[in-house]
Amino acid sequence: MPNSGGRVAMPGRDGCHGGFGYALITLIALIAAACVRQPAVTSSVSPSAAVARPTPAATSTVRPMRSGPLPKDVGCADIIAAKPGPYPDPTLPPAPEPTVAGGDAAAKAAITRAADALAQLRSYQFSVDIVGRDLTTLQGSTFDFAVRGTVDRSTDLAIDAVFGSRIREADGSGAVTSGGQQIKAGRGYVWGTDNVSDVLEPTRSHATLATISLLTPEGAAARFVVPFAAGYSRVGSERHAGIATEHYRASAKGESAYAATLQFKDHLTADLWIKADGDYLAGARVAGKGSHVDASSGIEFDDSFLMAFEVTHPNDPGNVVTLPAMPLPDPVRPTEAPVDLQLTYRILPADGREPTSEELNAIGVALRTRLDISARPVKVDVIGVNRAIVTVCGTTNPEADRRLITSPGALTVVPLPKDRYGTAADPGPAAPPAVGSPIDPALTPIAPPSGLGLTTAHVDPSTGRRGLAFRLDNQATETFAAYAAKHPDEFVTVALDGTVLATIPIDARTAKGHFVFTGDYTAAESRLLASYLYRDPILFELQPIEDVEIPARD
């Protein structure tokens, strides 16, 4: 990538392995603070089998009862009162409001009109380059990014782009780059390439959508062009990027407004171009060259910057953005009247030994994760060397919560013998085990159960069905890769506590220990399953010793 005075390099899409997490989420976080795809195997698994019932439910259950009368409450009022509210959705700061005394009214009107005309185009292709500046505040930054993409408004606003980024050391001594990440946006969602599923995964939040809008010329212009419009003057007609345009350049007053807003003391220039016949904003470039020496270290820091965009191919019939399938609506779950639970368990020895303090802490963390403490009023207390008290407030599915607590959470990948089950191309005499059924105990897992290397909630981009994508940890991946190399196209079953979640053929992607499947999941269930399986299974049995269930208090 070039020095801060140039454009950010844009690798091709084939180099995209950064994941939806790193580059784009870094940009979102900074703003807030201011590949071969395996088709997902569709199954009919529901969370009753996958999350709420990881092991087959017993035909009858005898609950240990509390001696004496039930309490009037189990402390839920305090738990609810102490629970932090939801993390606020970050909002973008307002656009700059520079002062341009005695500005050019005609230029301001023309530029404002051109920016509005850009937003009225049916479609266009674009580039945006931001180096050395935070696009929201226009202050100095070591996070640089570049975008190349298409805006399509033929039915509704849709964006398809490739995003590259770089984080530099302030003294120029090093940098970390992430390039070629595809992003799409439209219909209230933003999709980014995920480094677990290797497909476009959706997210939906005001902050993310607002950030994506900044990555287009319209969003960029709203930050570093339109607020300064009165500080430009018309230069004349000229050809720019192969088209006839009207060229405008920042006047001395405009340069002063930029310098004051950007807090930039060295020389800068600002130019923009308006399409001659279409009157839309076709391009803009604001750049500065400069440096300063740090008084304490004597090191010279580069303050140079570039903020630029170009608009091409307006209303071209080829500007078509196809969005992934919308996530399906959540399936409806039967619920009961809300109740409060207080469940006490004895943590039994495993292999003749009591759990260590580290293992007890891990059990507490696992239970809080399973019960979704980030979204629900839950309290888990591990007491002494062998006891846990779990309080769940306002649950509408108490049986599911009980099963979550006592299930080991052991995920295994089990090979299905070719002579019985055949291959994807040549099915065998026996049908693969049904989703939700117990796995044949005679079948041996490829590797012992353990926490997964990486997990993510998944939405199939073709069908909109929700599910899970995961990668085995390093040791299990090596073991599975050795098996897969000798058994291509054969089937493996993904099982949780002995219950089948999905059956998947071994192909090029699966052979690397990467798995994707979908089922009858809600968004919350898919997210919870991903968190659940990221942690190691609980190796110690939790034996219920007291079970209190009372109506939830208003």
Side-chain angles (χ1 to χ4, degrees):
M1 298 179 71
N3 294 328
S4 59
R7 292 177 181 264
V8 179
M10 291 296 299
R13 296 190 185 189
D14 291 343
C16 173
H17 298 289
F20 196 24
Y22 180 70
L24 186 56
I25 288 180
T26 298
L27 173 62
I28 294 169
L30 290 172
I31 288 175
C35 316
V36 177
R37 171 179 174 259
Q38 171 190 308
V41 176
T42 301
S43 68
S44 59
V45 67
S46 70
S48 61
V51 180
R53 193 187 306 161
T55 54
T59 54
S60 63
T61 304
V62 178
R63 296 183 196 155
M65 299 304 295
R66 181 188 180 98
S67 59
L70 289 174
K72 292 183 179 180
D73 68 76
V74 292
C76 279
D78 291 338
I79 294 173
I80 293 171
K83 182 174 177 56
Y87 192 81
D89 200 11
T91 57
L92 296 178
E97 296 181 351
T99 299
V100 184
D104 188 326
K108 179 179 180 180
I111 294 169
T112 303
R113 184 170 59 251
D116 291 341
L118 175 61
Q120 298 303 313
L121 290 178
R122 185 177 66 254
S123 67
Y124 59 84
Q125 297 177 30
F126 69 90
S127 66
V128 174
D129 294 272
I130 306 296
V131 178
R133 287 285 145 178
D134 179 328
L135 184 53
T136 58
T137 64
L138 305 188
Q139 300 309 298
S141 173
T142 57
F143 181 82
D144 310 330
F145 68 88
V147 188
R148 306 289 182 267
T150 300
V151 169
D152 179 8
R153 290 192 181 86
S154 55
T155 55
D156 196 0
L157 175 62
I159 301 169
D160 183 357
V162 179
F163 175 87
S165 68
R166 172 180 62 187
I167 298 180
R168 295 176 285 108
E169 294 290 345
D171 62 359
S173 60
V176 176
T177 63
S178 175
Q181 177 182 339
Q182 186 180 18
I183 54 176
K184 291 191 176 188
R187 300 182 187 176
Y189 285 91
V190 175
W191 289 263
T193 304
D194 184 84
N195 65 351
V196 182
S197 67
D198 286 336
V199 299
L200 293 171
E201 298 287 1
T203 185
R204 192 174 196 177
S205 75
H206 174 76
T208 306
L209 291 168
T211 300
I212 294 302
S213 72
L214 286 180
L215 305 185
T216 68
E218 297 162 48
R223 293 284 163 170
F224 70 83
V225 173
V226 175
F228 301 88
Y232 281 83
S233 297
R234 181 177 176 276
V235 176
S237 300
E238 67 177 56
R239 296 193 66 79
H240 173 78
I243 63 172
T245 65
E246 295 297 322
H247 180 193
Y248 288 75
R249 176 169 292 160
S251 62
K253 293 178 180 179
E255 290 179 357
S256 296
Y258 273 115
T261 302
L262 275 61
Q263 298 182 26
F264 188 75
K265 297 180 181 180
D266 295 296
H267 178 66
L268 62 82
T269 59
D271 295 86
L272 63 86
W273 296 266
I274 297 174
K275 180 72 162 58
D277 55 356
D279 286 341
Y280 64 85
L281 192 56
R285 177 186 176 91
V286 181
K289 292 286 291 183
S291 63
H292 74 277
V293 176
D294 182 71
S296 59
S297 65
I299 297 175
E300 184 176 6
F301 290 87
D302 186 5
D303 298 325
S304 301
F305 72 91
L306 168 70
M307 298 184 292
F309 64 80
E310 295 288 342
V311 175
T312 63
H313 300 82
N315 297 333
D316 190 310
N319 296 338
V320 177
V321 174
T322 302
L323 297 176
M326 296 294 116
L328 294 179
D330 283 349
V332 178
R333 301 284 179 240
T335 59
E336 305 173 14
V339 297
D340 295 338
L341 298 179
Q342 190 164 80
L343 313 172
T344 305
Y345 297 89
R346 179 178 292 113
I347 303 171
L348 300 180
D351 298 326
R353 68 174 183 85
E354 300 284 352
T356 64
S357 59
E358 183 178 346
E359 289 169 330
L360 289 171
N361 180 64
I363 290 171
V365 172
L367 294 180
R368 295 181 189 103
T369 301
R370 293 181 183 188
L371 295 168
D372 203 10
I373 194 170
S374 64
R376 305 170 66 196
V378 170
K379 184 180 182 183
V380 177
D381 295 306
V382 179
I383 300 172
V385 296
N386 64 357
R387 186 164 297 198
I389 299 177
V390 181
T391 306
V392 184
C393 305
T395 178
T396 58
N397 198 340
E399 289 304 318
D401 287 330
R402 290 184 175 96
R403 288 191 293 268
L404 277 173
I405 294 167
T406 57
S407 299
L411 185 132
T412 53
V413 177
V414 183
L416 301 182
K418 180 179 179 180
D419 59 350
R420 289 172 56 186
Y421 300 100
T423 66
D426 185 18
V435 171
S437 66
I439 190 71
D440 183 350
L443 298 176
T444 304
I446 291 173
S450 65
L452 297 172
L454 292 169
T455 63
T456 189
H458 168 65
V459 177
D460 188 293
S462 299
T463 65
R465 288 171 61 84
R466 297 185 184 274
L468 179 73
F470 67 86
R471 296 188 180 192
L472 300 174
D473 65 20
N474 292 338
Q475 183 175 353
T477 294
E478 292 178 4
T479 303
F480 182 74
Y483 175 87
K486 299 177 181 179
H487 300 270
D489 207 36
E490 296 182 21
F491 291 104
V492 294
T493 285
V494 179
L496 178 60
D497 291 331
T499 298
V500 175
L501 297 184
T503 298
I504 301 174
I506 297 175
D507 61 10
R509 188 175 185 281
T510 309
K512 299 176 183 178
H514 303 177
F515 297 83
V516 177
F517 62 86
T518 61
D520 185 37
Y521 296 95
T522 66
E525 290 161 353
S526 183
R527 173 182 56 80
L528 180 58
L529 183 60
S531 298
Y532 182 147
L533 295 179
Y534 183 70
R535 299 198 169 275
D536 288 332
I538 296 176
L539 303 179
F540 298 85
E541 180 183 351
L542 273 62
Q543 180 186 65
I545 58 176
E546 186 171 87
D547 188 305
V548 174
E549 177 179 317
I550 60 174
R553 303 182 67 180
D554 294 336

